[in-house]
């Protein structure tokens, strides 16, 4: 018989993060599973999802812009500036953005490359590509390999289709300018935010849309490796796929616990 095709999905790191212990553990485990499946005779595609859109990238861009402005004016970084401009509360969170040393290094590198603090689009493109390169270097040092990389911006059409289908089937409604998915219809305790009032798709709908694209490749199995914080999301994702009348039995979440 022909070997099954496995799609292994692991190593997803937001653009503002380096490859830390959690991401390294996910990457090594995912890569190990991929190698084991290949040795067993299966055809394997190793996929990495990179988030180059959304609030994470916006915060990264704003924080880097802040460091670049300070560099251009030869003054210390002012974290007391207007929250409406930079989102100070978010920037101060240790997990929200790279460490100050890395941000300063990025600001200096961007300045040398001719990027200016007034060019938000240029800052975003530089920041995302540079952090992605650092992550790739980190995975390479761990000998974690990928066959293909999918950007979250590539999911825009799929996200729109998912939201339209949910709406057509009566699984969503609008609430305070947000789009809510009716989770209780599928056994969940609460409704889930699918699209925020800031016109941003949530991680929930991004993951559903991602898996829709994966399942369309008709592999025998899709395995996504994530940390323990994704246990609830795994249930929600299967709910979202069920609401689209899609068979998600080929999708498995492999949750890595500490």
């Amino acid at each position: 018989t022909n070997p099954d095709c496995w799609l292994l999905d692991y190593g997803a790191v937001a653009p503002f993060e380096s490859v830390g212990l959690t991401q390294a553990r996910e990457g090594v485990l995912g890569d190990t599973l991929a190698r084991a499946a290949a040795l067993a005779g299966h055809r394997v595609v190793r996929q990495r999802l990179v988030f180059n859109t959304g609030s994470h990238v916006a915060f990264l861009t704003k924080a880097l812009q802040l460091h670049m402005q300070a560099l251009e004016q030869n003054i210390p970084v002012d974290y007391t500036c207007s929250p409406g401009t930079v989102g100070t509360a978010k920037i101060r969170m240790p997990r929200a953005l790279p460490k100050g040393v890395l941000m300063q290094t990025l600001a200096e590198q961007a300045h040398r490359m001719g990027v200016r603090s007034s060019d938000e689009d240029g800052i975003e493109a530089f920041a995302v590509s540079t952090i992605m390169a650092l992550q790739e270097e980190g995975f390479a040092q761990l000998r974690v390999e990928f066959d293909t990389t999918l950007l979250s911006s590539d999911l825009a059409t799929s996200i729109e289709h998912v939201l339209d289908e949910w709406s057509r089937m009566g699984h969503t409604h609008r609430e305070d300018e947000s789009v809510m998915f009716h989770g209780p219809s599928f056994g969940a305790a609460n409704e889930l935010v699918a699209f925020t009032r800031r016109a941003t798709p949530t991680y929930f709908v991004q993951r559903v849309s991602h898996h829709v694209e994966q399942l369309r490749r008709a592999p025998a199995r899709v395995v996504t490796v994530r940390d323990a914080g994704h246990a609830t999301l795994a249930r929600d994702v299967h709910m979202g796929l069920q609401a689209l009348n899609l068979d998600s039995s080929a999708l498995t979440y492999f949750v890595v616990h500490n």
Side-chain angles (χ1 to χ4, degrees):
T1 59
N2 292 328
D4 290 335
C5 180
W6 285 39
L7 179 58
L8 270 291
D9 161 28
Y10 55 93
V13 183
F16 62 85
E17 294 177 329
S18 59
V19 178
L21 177 61
T22 298
Q23 293 80 20
R25 187 167 50 220
E26 291 176 23
V28 169
L29 181 56
D31 189 79
T32 301
L33 288 172
R35 292 170 188 262
L39 284 173
H42 301 293
R43 290 179 291 117
V44 177
V45 177
R46 297 165 293 188
Q47 185 184 75
R48 177 186 176 210
L49 175 64
V50 173
F51 295 94
N52 67 328
T53 56
S55 58
H56 294 156
V57 175
F59 292 140
L60 171 61
T61 301
K62 288 295 185 182
L64 183 53
Q65 184 178 44
L66 185 66
H67 281 75
M68 291 179 66
Q69 288 170 343
L71 179 64
E72 290 172 0
Q73 299 171 26
N74 196 28
I75 59 175
V77 177
D78 180 11
Y79 288 105
T80 64
C81 58
S82 168
T85 302
V86 181
T88 307
K90 295 287 185 182
I91 289 176
R92 285 177 177 171
M93 293 175 62
R95 296 183 179 179
L97 290 165
K99 295 179 180 179
V101 174
L102 176 57
M103 293 304 299
Q104 187 63 29
T105 301
L106 289 176
E108 293 170 354
Q109 185 176 347
H111 183 72
R112 288 195 299 269
M113 294 180 65
V115 181
R116 293 295 173 259
S117 62
S118 58
D119 182 8
E120 285 198 16
D121 290 341
I123 294 172
E124 177 180 311
F126 165 80
V128 170
S129 62
T130 303
I131 295 294
M132 282 176 60
L134 289 173
Q135 293 169 5
E136 289 168 4
E137 181 181 343
F139 281 124
Q141 290 175 350
L142 295 167
R143 298 186 179 180
V144 172
E145 300 178 352
F146 302 96
D147 297 311
T148 180
T149 297
L150 179 69
L151 301 178
S152 60
S153 57
D154 297 333
L155 297 173
T157 300
S158 182
I159 288 172
E160 183 178 353
H161 173 74
V162 167
L163 291 170
D164 286 346
E165 284 297 293
W166 281 346
S167 176
R168 184 180 66 82
M169 297 178 182
H171 299 317
T172 60
H173 69 275
R174 289 193 170 272
E175 182 178 307
D176 296 331
E177 300 180 16
S178 297
V179 176
M180 307 296 295
F181 176 82
H182 194 59
S185 295
F186 300 91
N190 303 303
E191 294 185 329
L192 303 173
V193 181
F195 212 74
T196 71
R197 67 185 64 185
R198 295 176 181 173
T200 303
T202 61
Y203 187 46
F204 162 59
V205 74
Q206 283 182 320
R207 294 303 303 182
V208 171
S209 302
H210 183 202
H211 294 315
V212 167
E213 293 301 307
Q214 290 176 324
L215 292 169
R216 279 178 178 165
R217 298 171 66 106
R221 186 176 297 276
V222 176
V223 179
T224 182
V225 182
R226 292 293 181 269
D227 61 44
H230 287 71
T232 300
L233 179 72
R235 178 208 65 193
D236 294 343
V237 161
H238 281 283
M239 256 186 344
L241 294 170
Q242 181 184 350
L244 295 169
N245 293 327
L246 286 178
D247 179 8
S248 62
S249 59
L251 171 66
T252 300
Y253 263 73
F254 200 105
V255 178
V256 183
H257 293 278
N258 294 329

